[in-house]
């Protein structure tokens, strides 16, 4: 009897975990549990600025110099390689954003449709932890920058206690009090609760300010460049540039925010691909310009680690540019934090609607048209982390969720080419289809394993001769990609279509997992532990409350006012 009960529980778990989400082809309606729909206000220019705001923060003023310390002037190549990798990911995101109905969810939604419910929940938890820790870390950095600017006032210099903005001395090794960071998070949360129009206006002003400052920095710095500083271009070889690309990769990952704004986009099928790819192209250009300037102004060995760009201009006597850089860093951090909080609330909204989280997260304010409960929850978590913990200690376990999520998104592009019936439930599924689908998923898993193997070999192999073993996983991945290509249907898709499928998505998966292998081993432990916790949460709550096919009230989108749409 006990064995039968266990078998029944396991069978129910498997049945629930393997559910998929059927979606309507209509982009004009949104199905929700309660409340009203979000309002469409974001055009292509707003979406591009949203992506730039999410990507370019203090990283452009700090990470460029940090990578340059190892890669030398070859840091430019590092950012080019990272940008090229992100372009591949962006192409996958752009196709799915164009194909799917305009509802919140992003990577979670795509996974729910292409694979199953449990995988979608795992993607959500992994990416959400990245967002939570990242938001807290950015809030503390922003507080520190603001205090630095305030200390330019003579009577405030050295009179502001560390616990106000820089963080108090650590207690128990990880507790560090910071008062200003939670205050800033509360202010930004209030702005987001007021509505997407207000938050979009703040993002537009701050992001435009940031772009103008970066362009001014590049132009002014170009006149101070000494091309002899670019020689040798790669002092530590190609490996240092490739390793630098793994760090630089995380400076671009803002296009996911654009995909998660689908429900507030005026013309999502047209504008989302423009926002995703357009924001990434602008970010690549800005990063390359800063890399060339910073390595041309100062020999890479003498670049500072805390604020390399500002210090480079100080060495040239251009102190006013250093002030501009501080202002740009504040603007950059503010927009990155604003967009991060925005994306988190929309993800919680999506899971609340699907029942994987309590329905309170699915509520949208009837007049503000914002998920206020989700937004407050996100702000609360960020305030606790930023106000009490030294979240920089957790920074080395970041980005594992993003790399895993982007890999799954690329796999969704391949898988959904087998499923040309998004929005329609299959009444009869042939055994041949199931067999082909299973073979295809096995090929995707093989590509991911090859990427991880190649990454481990690249990371730990010391002898140059041993690099020949890298050829083996690469060849196996190529053969798996060829197997996918032979079974791939040629489809005439509406909207944006990712080119060269399945080659581009397969390359995405390989590169992302290769970079995954370069992360600290504690990041791998975090990935495994969080996955186990997520499976437990799903087993005890999610599987019993989720119902992706439940009949829900159909609510027409609230269109933007006509004068805004023009």
């Amino acid at each position: 009897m006990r064995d039968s009960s266990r078998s029944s529980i396991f069978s129910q778990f498997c049945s629930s975990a393997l559910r998929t989400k059927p979606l309507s082809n209509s982009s004009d309606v949104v199905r929700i549990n309660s409340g009203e729909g979000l309002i469409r206000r974001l055009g292509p220019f707003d979406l591009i600025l949203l992506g730039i705001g999410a990507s370019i923060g203090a990283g452009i003023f700090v990470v460029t110099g940090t990578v340059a310390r190892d890669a030398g002037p070859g840091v430019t190549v590092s950012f080019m390689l990272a940008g090229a990798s992100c372009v591949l990911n962006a192409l996958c995101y752009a196709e799915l954003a164009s194909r799917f109905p305009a509802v919140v969810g992003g990577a979670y939604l795509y996974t729910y449709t292409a694979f199953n419910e449990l995988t979608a929940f795992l993607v959500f938890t992994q990416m959400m932890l990245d967002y939570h820790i990242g938001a807290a870390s950015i809030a503390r950095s922003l507080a520190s920058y603001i205090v630095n600017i305030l200390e330019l006032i003579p009577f405030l210099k050295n009179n502001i206690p560390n616990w106000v903005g820089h963080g108090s001395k650590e207690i128990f090794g990880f507790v560090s009090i910071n008062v200003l960071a939670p205050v800033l998070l509360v202010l930004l949360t209030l702005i987001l609760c007021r509505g997407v129009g207000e938050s979009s206006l703040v993002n537009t002003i701050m992001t435009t300010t940031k772009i103008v400052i970066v362009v001014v920095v590049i132009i002014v710095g170009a006149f101070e460049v000494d091309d002899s500083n670019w020689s040798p271009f790669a002092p530590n070889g190609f490996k240092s540039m490739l390793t630098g690309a793994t760090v630089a990769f995380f400076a671009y990952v803002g296009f996911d925010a654009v995909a998660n704004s689908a429900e507030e986009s005026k013309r999502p099928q047209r504008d989302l691909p423009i926002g995703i790819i357009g924001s990434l192209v602008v970010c690549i250009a800005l990063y390359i310009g800063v890399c060339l300037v910073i390595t041309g102004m100062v020999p890479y060995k003498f670049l500072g680690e805390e604020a390399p760009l500002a210090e480079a201009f100080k060495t040239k006597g251009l102190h006013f540019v250093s002030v501009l850089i501080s202002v740009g860093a504040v603007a950059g951090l503010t927009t990155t934090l604003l967009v991060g909080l925005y994306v988190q609330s929309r993800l919680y909204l999506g899971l609340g609607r699907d029942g994987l989280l309590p329905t309170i997260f699915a509520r949208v304010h009837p007049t503000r048209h914002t998920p206020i409960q989700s937004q407050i929850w996100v702000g609360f978590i960020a305030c606790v982390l930023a106000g009490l913990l030294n979240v920089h200690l957790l920074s080395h376990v970041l980005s594992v969720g993003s790399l895993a999520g982007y890999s799954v998104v690329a796999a969704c592009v391949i898988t959904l080419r087998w499923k040309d019936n998004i929005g329609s439930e299959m009444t009869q599924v042939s055994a041949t289809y199931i067999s082909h689908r299973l073979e295809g998923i096995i090929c995707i898993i093989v590509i991911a394993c090859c990427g991880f193997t190649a990454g481990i070999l690249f990371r730990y192999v010391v002898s140059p001769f041993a690099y020949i073993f890298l050829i083996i996983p690469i060849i196996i991945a190529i053969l798996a990609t060829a197997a996918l290509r032979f079974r791939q249907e040629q489809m005439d898709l509406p909207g944006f279509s990712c080119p060269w499928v399945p080659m581009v998505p397969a390359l995405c998966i390989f590169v992302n997992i290769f970079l995954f292998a370069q992360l600290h081993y504690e990041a791998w432990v975090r990935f495994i532990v969080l996955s186990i916790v997520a499976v437990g949460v799903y087993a005890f709550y999610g599987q019993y409350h989720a119902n992706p096919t439940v009949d829900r009230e159909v609510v027409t989108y609230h269109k933007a006012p006509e004068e805004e749409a023009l």
Side-chain angles (χ1 to χ4, degrees):
M1 179 71 97
R2 188 173 296 175
D3 291 340
S4 176
S5 176
R6 289 176 181 174
S7 176
S8 176
I9 292 173
F10 180 74
S11 176
Q12 180 182 353
F13 176 83
C14 291
S15 176
S16 301
L18 296 177
R19 288 182 300 210
T20 59
K21 184 179 181 67
L23 295 174
S24 168
N25 283 311
S26 173
S27 63
D28 295 326
V29 298
V30 57
R31 299 181 180 273
I32 63 176
N33 284 320
S34 61
E36 298 291 334
L38 302 178
I39 187 168
R40 292 193 185 193
R41 289 185 181 274
L42 303 178
F45 182 71
D46 299 308
L47 294 172
I48 290 174
L49 289 180
L50 188 71
I52 296 172
S55 298
I56 297 202
I60 200 166
F61 306 107
V62 178
V63 174
T64 48
T66 302
V67 177
R69 296 273 293 186
D70 296 322
V75 62
T76 306
V77 176
S78 296
F79 273 87
M80 286 181 177
L81 292 173
S85 174
C86 286
V87 166
L88 298 177
N89 285 282
L91 290 173
C92 296
Y93 260 93
E95 172 173 318
L96 297 178
S98 178
R99 265 184 96 176
F100 271 65
V103 292
V104 295
Y108 152 78
L109 176 65
Y110 308 150
T111 307
Y112 207 161
T113 301
F115 292 105
N116 55 64
E117 191 170 282
L118 179 58
T119 304
F121 190 69
L122 290 172
V123 167
F124 164 80
T125 53
Q126 292 291 346
M127 297 189 74
M128 188 53 62
L129 184 57
D130 276 4
Y131 278 123
H132 280 317
I133 298 174
S137 179
I138 292 169
R140 289 180 75 104
S141 297
L142 178 58
S144 182
Y145 267 100
I146 290 176
V147 168
N148 287 338
I149 293 177
L150 291 175
E151 288 182 339
L152 295 175
I153 302 173
F155 71 87
L156 290 179
K157 188 173 183 179
N158 299 324
N159 289 325
I160 301 178
N162 284 338
W163 53 265
V164 172
H166 295 299
S168 66
K169 291 184 178 180
E170 295 176 6
I171 306 171
F172 307 119
F174 62 92
V175 176
S176 175
I177 306 299
N178 188 309
V179 174
L180 184 56
V183 172
L184 296 172
L185 285 164
V186 169
L187 291 175
L188 292 177
T189 300
L190 290 175
I191 292 173
L192 288 166
C193 287
R194 284 189 59 83
V196 69
E198 290 80 358
S199 56
S200 177
L201 177 62
V202 172
N203 181 66
T204 299
I205 294 172
M206 300 295 281
T207 302
T208 303
T209 301
K210 173 174 56 179
I211 293 174
V212 169
I213 290 175
V214 172
V215 171
V216 169
V217 166
I218 293 173
I219 293 173
V220 174
F223 290 98
E224 302 293 334
V225 166
D226 180 358
D227 57 8
S228 65
N229 291 327
W230 290 334
S231 181
F233 189 75
N236 297 317
F238 177 75
K239 186 173 182 178
S240 66
M241 293 190 293
L242 190 56
T243 303
T246 65
V247 179
F249 177 88
F250 310 121
Y252 289 107
V253 290
F255 47 84
D256 181 60
V258 181
N260 277 288
S261 65
E263 200 165 310
E264 290 157 291
S265 172
K266 293 178 182 177
R267 304 173 185 85
Q269 270 62 41
R270 186 201 69 173
D271 293 347
L272 289 177
I274 294 174
I276 291 170
I277 298 175
S279 61
L280 185 56
V281 169
V282 172
C283 291
I284 291 174
L286 293 178
Y287 274 119
I288 290 175
V290 169
C291 288
L292 291 173
V293 165
I294 194 174
T295 55
M297 290 178 65
V298 179
Y300 75 95
K301 294 181 180 179
F302 300 107
L303 288 172
E305 294 185 357
E306 295 297 327
L309 193 57
E311 291 177 16
F313 280 92
K314 284 182 180 178
T315 60
K316 297 294 183 178
L318 300 173
H319 295 281
F320 76 95
V321 180
S322 298
V323 176
L324 274 180
I325 290 171
S326 296
V327 174
V330 169
L333 286 166
T334 302
T335 56
T336 304
L337 184 55
L338 184 74
V339 175
L341 296 173
Y342 164 88
V343 171
Q344 291 177 62
S345 67
R346 271 55 183 178
L347 285 172
Y348 275 105
L349 173 64
L351 269 81
R353 287 175 174 172
D354 293 330
L356 288 167
L357 291 178
T359 55
I360 188 173
F361 293 111
R363 296 175 185 171
V364 177
H365 195 276
T367 57
R368 295 290 180 187
H369 305 294
T370 58
I372 290 181
Q373 285 83 358
S374 295
Q375 197 69 70
I376 292 174
W377 169 254
V378 167
F380 172 75
I381 294 295
C383 284
V384 171
L385 293 177
L388 299 179
L389 303 179
N390 180 6
V391 290
H392 294 293
L393 295 175
L394 303 175
S395 60
H396 57 276
V397 301
L398 279 174
S399 302
V400 60
S402 298
L403 283 172
Y406 292 165
S407 300
V408 175
V409 167
C412 288
V413 172
I414 299 173
T415 306
L416 289 173
R417 292 291 183 100
W418 307 329
K419 295 176 65 177
D420 58 356
N421 59 329
I422 291 182
S424 62
E425 296 188 63
M426 300 175 64
T427 54
Q428 293 183 341
V429 182
S430 66
T432 302
Y433 173 82
I434 294 176
S435 174
H436 286 182
R437 175 179 167 82
L438 180 60
E439 292 171 7
I441 291 176
I442 290 174
C443 289
I444 293 172
I445 294 173
V446 167
I447 293 170
C449 291
C450 288
F452 187 77
T453 303
I456 292 295
L457 290 173
F458 177 81
R459 180 174 180 176
Y460 291 109
V461 166
V462 178
S463 170
F465 176 77
Y467 280 120
I468 193 171
F469 291 108
L470 278 171
I471 298 175
I472 298 174
I474 292 174
I475 291 176
I476 295 175
I478 291 174
L479 293 176
T481 303
L484 288 173
R485 178 65 186 88
F486 286 130
R487 69 176 60 258
Q488 192 74 64
E489 296 181 18
Q490 297 298 319
M491 299 175 62
D492 185 16
L493 298 176
F496 182 87
S497 178
C498 178
W500 304 309
V501 174
M503 283 75 78
V504 167
L507 183 59
C508 265
I509 296 170
F510 186 91
V511 171
N512 290 342
I513 302 302
F514 179 92
L515 295 177
F516 184 99
Q518 310 307 309
L519 296 174
H520 197 277
Y521 77 92
E522 290 184 15
W524 305 344
V525 174
R526 168 231 138 150
F527 180 83
I528 295 172
V529 171
L530 182 60
S531 296
I532 294 173
V533 172
V535 170
V537 172
Y538 177 80
F540 287 100
Y541 181 87
Q543 68 165 323
Y544 299 112
H545 295 84
N547 193 346
T549 61
V550 67
D551 292 330
R552 299 170 181 169
E553 180 186 3
V554 178
V555 179
T556 304
Y557 271 118
H558 294 269
K559 304 290 185 180
E562 291 299 323
E563 61 270 19
E564 294 183 16
L566 296 175

